[in-house]
Amino acid sequence: MYADGKFLFYDHYLIEQIKSKKEPEIQEFFLLLSVCHTVMVDVSDGQINYQAASPDEGALVTAARNFGYVFLSRTQNTITISEMGTERTYDVLAILDFNSDRKRMSVIVRDSNGRIRLYCKGADTVIFERLHPRNLKREATEEALDVFARETLRTLCLCYRDISHDEFEAWNKKFMEASVAASNRDEALDKVYEEIEKDLILLGATAIEDKLQDGVPETISKLSKADIKIWVLTGDKKETAENIGFSCELLTDETTICYGEDISGLLQTRLENQRNRAGSTSHSSLRMNEPFFQGSRNRALIITGSWLNEILLEKKKKKKKKLKLKFPKTEEEKQKQIEKKRRAEAYKEQQQKNFVDLACECKAVICCRVTPKQKAMVVDLVKKYKKAITLAIGDGANDVNMIKTAHIGVGISGQEGMQAVMSSDYSFGQFRYLQRLLLVHGRWSYIRMCKFLRYFFYKNFAFTLVHIWYSFFNGFSAQTAYEDWFITLYNVLYSSLPVLLVGLFDQDVSDKLSLRFPRLYVLGQKDLLFNYKKFFRSLLHGAMTSLVIFFIPYGAYLQTMGQDGEAPSDYQSFAVTAATSLVFVVNLQIGLDTSYWTFVNAFSVFGSIAIYFGITFDFHSAGIHVLFPSAFQFTGTAPNALKQLYLWLTMALTIAVCLLPVVAQRFLSMTICPSESDRVSEVSFLAHIYLQASAAVKTAIVVVGNYPLVRVCTAFRAVTGVHVKKLS
């Protein structure tokens, strides 16, 4: 009646046992699934729809429904179930909530006969600690859990306990007091929960397939080739996490796997050596640079949440309350206590540094059985002790802390809900989109931003430093080298549009090549495109350009005579010549820096130059001077100066001296020491020529230039799938 028509189950023995009702434990198993949850039900058009906080919980309730135990409705104090066609209502006496520390959820219900029973489901590690000593099914259940873990399934253990009326009344009194506690309410509730969740009877275990999305192995493989360290933080069992690592190709057969227990000795030895070096002084945080591992770098680390707490000294020790008299501490005792805390903090910090250093020597790190708080802690450790940008990606509410802690948070919108998406900086529907976000758009964004910054500094140094050189010839009178309106419009109209378009649309290689060659991403990790060296190069380039723009027109204007017999060497003509040369140089320079040419880029470069001439001739006209005589004083300067061929030759010489060294340097750089993107672009160009060639000349292709032949041939083969032959 309520079962899903699409549901298929092939174990007929289980179905027969449920129908025969001969095995009470099977009945209790599915009854627990239909009762112990926080799912809400919605009935529309006679159809039951479940609204669950997590897809796992919804899947378990749906499974119970398909086996005849249907969750129908709930109120604040009751829950109604259809058990094999018989409708029953249970009184909900208490709900012991799930959280990341408890790793379990319980519900206490009372049936129509007055029997009180606690149903509990949770992780095997916490359930097995609370089982009754006599549990016949424990060994079989552990074997089944191991099988499920090897199949990368997410598991839960189910158990129950009968509670007497007197025991419940006594416990309920404590529960109500803890529920209304004004302070430390969560701790008080956890303590009360512990009192009732004991001596449990194991019913069995469930396993849910957490299927990887399409493209996950390929994405992780490409990110690894881009020298991106990948850490997996999961709440699954160690076996499940390890098998997930193999399924997504994070781990391979050649990978040397280290477990937390294996490296505890390394960390302890390193810490003792550091303390011996530092002695008892306050410099106990001295670090040793030698690596933890020797030999192969294809190494992976798998650790658990409990080991992480112990090794990083995050585990809180429960203090036993003892009745003792308190005496005021002396100043010496206070000083000793402060010193003790300081040393403990330094010890903890050093241990955390050592762990991060060791983990970063591994190709991959998998942290299993970790809580949301521990996920955030691991991310924070990497941020704190490594100069690296962290990105956290997750799809569930338990990933929110991690996503918020990382520099960049990415949420995947799926069946786990929208909490991760709402807390993230970026969101998408598939994990495989991450490779495009990083290797394509992230890399392009970095290149564009670096080009924008370098050019912005260059053009403003070239513009501003001319005033300094001019001040040596005007007696430091603060007279400007350019017209006032040119100074106003230089960064607004004459040189802004080309660099903005480069910052928005430029790309050194196509998106397909960016994905095919992940190593191109490394230049951003090493800050190769913008650093102090690049900044001072831009400063020096701008200074040299300003020297050329000032001194070549200045030298050309000394003792000169125009074609009309008038001397063009006046201040206003010099200002127009220098300004015109500057506009040409900076716009053609951004043209040289542009890798991806479109009509818009070409229009912006030549359009900026055209705008300069249009505005200059307009501002230097007699008409606007008549209207605003005090604001426009360069009347007729541009028309008179720019009709002199001598000045055009001066500007041509200035532009050539500024740009030809740049062209020569770029040519030599690409020929002698090409970058990775230069090689890929060259190979892509050769591949394009090859694919368009006729069939008669497709047997070989000449590779020219000084590129390493092996690397070029390998890249060419990756692009075209064709072997390259070098002709003698």
Side-chain angles (χ1 to χ4, degrees):
M1 176 179 174
Y2 297 105
D4 186 356
K6 299 179 182 178
F7 177 73
L8 298 176
F9 193 77
Y10 301 98
D11 188 355
H12 298 290
Y13 174 78
L14 178 61
I15 297 176
E16 291 174 0
Q17 291 296 318
I18 295 173
K19 291 180 178 179
S20 65
K21 299 183 180 181
K22 292 180 180 179
E23 293 286 346
E25 290 183 343
I26 295 179
Q27 318 300 321
E28 292 294 335
F29 183 92
F30 289 104
L31 178 60
L32 187 152
L33 292 180
S34 62
V35 170
C36 186
H37 57 78
T38 57
V39 175
M40 302 302 293
V41 65
D42 177 33
V43 181
S44 59
D45 299 331
Q47 297 293 324
I48 294 178
N49 299 312
Y50 293 139
Q51 304 293 330
S54 71
D56 288 6
E57 195 169 49
L60 294 175
V61 176
T62 303
R65 165 186 170 182
N66 288 310
F67 284 105
Y69 288 79
V70 186
F71 165 52
L72 296 177
S73 64
R74 75 187 319 147
T75 64
Q76 187 174 359
N77 299 314
T78 64
I79 184 169
T80 303
I81 308 295
S82 173
E83 301 178 15
M84 303 301 294
T86 304
E87 193 169 309
R88 289 190 174 92
T89 300
Y90 294 86
D91 296 326
V92 179
L93 303 179
I95 296 179
L96 285 59
D97 297 322
F98 171 90
N99 61 46
S100 57
D101 294 326
R102 284 169 38 78
K103 298 181 181 178
R104 64 189 182 278
M105 175 203 173
S106 301
V107 61
I108 301 176
V109 298
R110 180 169 54 205
D111 61 14
S112 57
N113 298 325
R115 183 184 64 176
I116 300 176
R117 178 165 285 185
L118 178 142
Y119 292 107
C120 179
K121 65 180 181 182
D124 55 349
T125 52
V126 296
I127 295 297
F128 287 159
E129 293 174 354
R130 292 160 177 80
L131 291 180
H132 191 278
R134 296 181 180 178
N135 262 281
L136 302 178
K137 292 185 172 57
R138 175 166 180 166
E139 186 175 346
T141 303
E142 287 179 336
E143 293 177 359
L145 289 172
D146 292 338
V147 174
F148 295 153
R150 286 193 292 269
E151 296 294 330
T152 68
L153 303 178
R154 301 168 68 169
T155 58
L156 285 176
C157 288
L158 310 183
C159 53
Y160 74 96
R161 181 195 173 203
D162 289 321
I163 305 173
S164 65
H165 289 273
D166 294 338
E167 182 184 3
F168 174 75
E169 290 298 333
W171 177 85
N172 191 50
K173 186 177 180 180
K174 298 178 182 179
F175 174 66
M176 297 305 295
E177 291 175 356
S179 300
V180 296
S183 61
N184 299 325
R185 179 176 176 273
D186 293 337
E187 290 81 356
L189 283 173
D190 287 343
K191 185 178 179 181
V192 173
Y193 292 164
E194 289 286 346
E195 294 180 6
I196 200 72
E197 292 175 328
K198 61 182 181 180
D199 296 334
L200 302 174
I201 306 300
L202 186 63
L203 286 173
T206 64
I208 297 176
E209 182 181 14
D210 191 11
K211 194 174 182 181
L212 288 177
Q213 294 181 340
D214 295 335
V216 172
E218 294 81 359
T219 300
I220 290 179
S221 176
K222 286 185 178 180
L223 295 182
S224 298
K225 292 177 182 177
D227 201 24
I228 296 175
K229 297 288 185 181
I230 300 174
W231 293 28
V232 177
L233 311 178
T234 177
D236 294 331
K237 293 182 63 177
K238 182 192 292 187
E239 296 81 4
T240 304
E242 186 173 338
N243 282 285
I244 290 175
F246 279 104
S247 64
C248 64
E249 296 183 6
L250 192 62
L251 306 176
T252 62
D253 294 334
E254 291 77 24
T255 304
T256 303
I257 300 177
C258 300
Y259 297 97
E261 299 77 11
D262 303 330
I263 64 171
S264 298
L266 288 175
L267 292 173
Q268 192 62 33
T269 302
R270 173 64 60 88
L271 187 61
E272 290 176 359
N273 292 339
Q274 289 168 337
R275 295 178 71 180
N276 292 336
R277 281 190 176 189
S280 58
T281 64
S282 60
H283 303 287
S284 58
S285 61
L286 292 175
R287 304 181 67 179
M288 300 167 65
N289 296 323
E290 57 266 21
F292 284 89
F293 302 108
Q294 302 295 333
S296 174
R297 295 181 58 87
N298 190 8
R299 199 179 302 271
L301 176 63
I302 300 179
I303 57 178
T304 61
S306 58
W307 180 90
L308 197 62
N309 276 341
E310 293 175 4
I311 204 69
L312 299 182
L313 308 176
E314 292 288 345
K315 194 170 184 179
K316 296 182 180 179
K317 297 180 180 179
K318 295 183 179 179
K319 296 181 179 180
K320 295 182 179 180
K321 293 184 178 180
K322 295 181 179 179
L323 185 61
K324 60 180 181 179
L325 297 176
K326 291 185 179 181
F327 296 98
K329 295 181 180 179
T330 63
E331 195 65 31
E332 184 179 355
E333 289 175 336
K334 290 181 180 179
Q335 204 65 28
K336 285 183 178 180
Q337 188 176 11
I338 293 174
E339 182 67 17
K340 183 180 179 181
K341 288 183 179 179
R342 188 194 61 76
R343 288 190 177 185
E345 191 63 31
Y347 177 84
K348 175 181 175 180
E349 182 178 342
Q350 188 60 58
Q351 184 78 322
Q352 291 177 347
K353 286 181 179 179
N354 291 340
F355 165 73
V356 174
D357 290 339
L358 184 146
C360 288
E361 290 185 21
C362 300
K363 185 179 179 181
V365 178
I366 298 178
C367 303
C368 52
R369 289 296 193 194
V370 290
T371 65
K373 182 179 178 181
Q374 288 176 319
K375 292 180 180 181
M377 182 190 72
V378 171
V379 175
D380 190 57
L381 287 178
V382 178
K383 287 176 61 179
K384 185 177 180 180
Y385 298 118
K386 288 292 178 182
K387 293 182 179 180
I389 302 299
T390 57
L391 181 147
I393 180 169
D395 62 349
N398 56 349
D399 300 318
V400 169
N401 290 343
M402 174 182 68
I403 289 173
K404 287 185 174 181
T405 304
H407 292 99
I408 304 167
V410 178
I412 299 178
S413 57
Q415 296 182 358
E416 293 282 351
M418 296 296 291
Q419 293 95 327
V421 172
M422 298 301 292
S423 304
S424 63
D425 302 304
Y426 300 92
S427 65
F428 36 70
Q430 295 284 329
F431 180 85
R432 58 191 172 94
Y433 299 152
L434 182 64
Q435 60 177 310
R436 192 168 183 85
L437 177 69
L438 294 178
L439 303 182
V440 178
H441 298 292
R443 182 175 167 278
W444 281 350
S445 179
Y446 172 74
I447 293 173
R448 293 163 181 168
M449 184 170 56
C450 292
K451 280 189 176 182
F452 177 88
L453 291 173
R454 294 202 310 264
Y455 177 77
F456 183 83
F457 286 121
Y458 159 74
K459 75 183 182 72
N460 280 287
F461 283 130
F463 165 73
T464 306
L465 294 180
V466 172
H467 294 284
I468 295 178
W469 317 137
Y470 182 58
S471 65
F472 287 98
F473 298 89
N474 64 12
F476 295 94
S477 62
Q479 184 183 19
T480 59
Y482 309 113
E483 181 193 6
D484 292 343
W485 283 104
F486 177 81
I487 296 174
T488 303
L489 299 176
Y490 174 73
N491 276 317
V492 179
L493 292 177
Y494 301 155
S495 62
S496 60
L497 187 58
V499 68
L500 286 176
L501 292 177
V502 167
L504 290 173
F505 302 118
D506 198 49
Q507 45 186 271
D508 57 341
V509 296
S510 66
D511 55 343
K512 294 180 180 178
L513 291 177
S514 297
L515 292 173
R516 187 165 292 177
F517 300 99
R519 288 292 301 174
L520 293 173
Y521 187 79
V522 175
L523 70 126
Q525 294 174 314
K526 296 181 179 179
D527 287 334
L528 297 179
L529 296 186
F530 191 78
N531 45 44
Y532 285 112
K533 181 180 178 181
K534 293 290 184 182
F535 170 76
F536 285 112
R537 284 184 61 181
S538 298
L539 190 156
L540 181 62
H541 188 194
M544 296 301 295
T545 300
S546 67
L547 286 170
V548 173
I549 287 175
F550 176 77
F551 281 103
I552 288 183
Y554 177 78
Y557 270 58
L558 289 175
Q559 300 178 356
T560 57
M561 186 69 67
Q563 293 176 349
D564 54 1
E566 296 180 359
S569 53
D570 61 283
Y571 159 70
Q572 293 184 346
S573 297
F574 170 79
V576 170
T577 305
T580 305
S581 301
L582 178 64
V583 171
F584 270 105
V585 168
V586 296
N587 281 285
L588 293 178
Q589 177 65 48
I590 194 62
L592 294 176
D593 291 339
T594 302
S595 302
Y596 184 68
W597 276 95
T598 62
F599 169 77
V600 179
N601 292 86
F603 177 80
S604 67
V605 171
F606 299 108
S608 296
I609 297 173
I611 289 173
Y612 163 74
F613 281 108
I615 292 178
T616 300
F617 277 95
D618 188 34
F619 283 1
H620 293 189
S621 64
I624 198 168
H625 175 72
V626 172
L627 295 175
F628 307 99
S630 61
F632 301 95
Q633 299 178 357
F634 277 53
T635 307
T637 301
N640 292 332
L642 296 179
K643 71 181 180 180
Q644 304 286 342
L645 178 62
Y646 179 79
L647 297 186
W648 282 103
L649 294 175
T650 300
M651 288 187 288
L653 176 63
T654 303
I655 296 168
V657 172
C658 288
L659 296 181
L660 286 180
V662 177
V663 175
Q665 184 267 334
R666 298 279 174 88
F667 174 77
L668 292 175
S669 175
M670 292 182 65
T671 304
I672 299 173
C673 185
S675 65
E676 199 79 25
S677 60
D678 291 334
R679 293 190 183 98
V680 172
S681 299
E682 180 72 13
V683 170
S684 176
F685 177 71
L686 293 174
H688 182 71
I689 294 176
Y690 178 84
L691 294 175
Q692 289 187 344
S694 61
V697 295
K698 278 189 178 179
T699 56
I701 185 167
V702 179
V703 179
V704 295
N706 294 322
Y707 302 125
L709 181 63
V710 174
R711 297 191 67 174
V712 172
C713 292
T714 303
F716 185 86
R717 188 161 58 250
V719 174
T720 63
V722 180
H723 290 271
V724 182
K725 297 180 181 178
K726 185 174 182 180
L727 299 183
S728 56

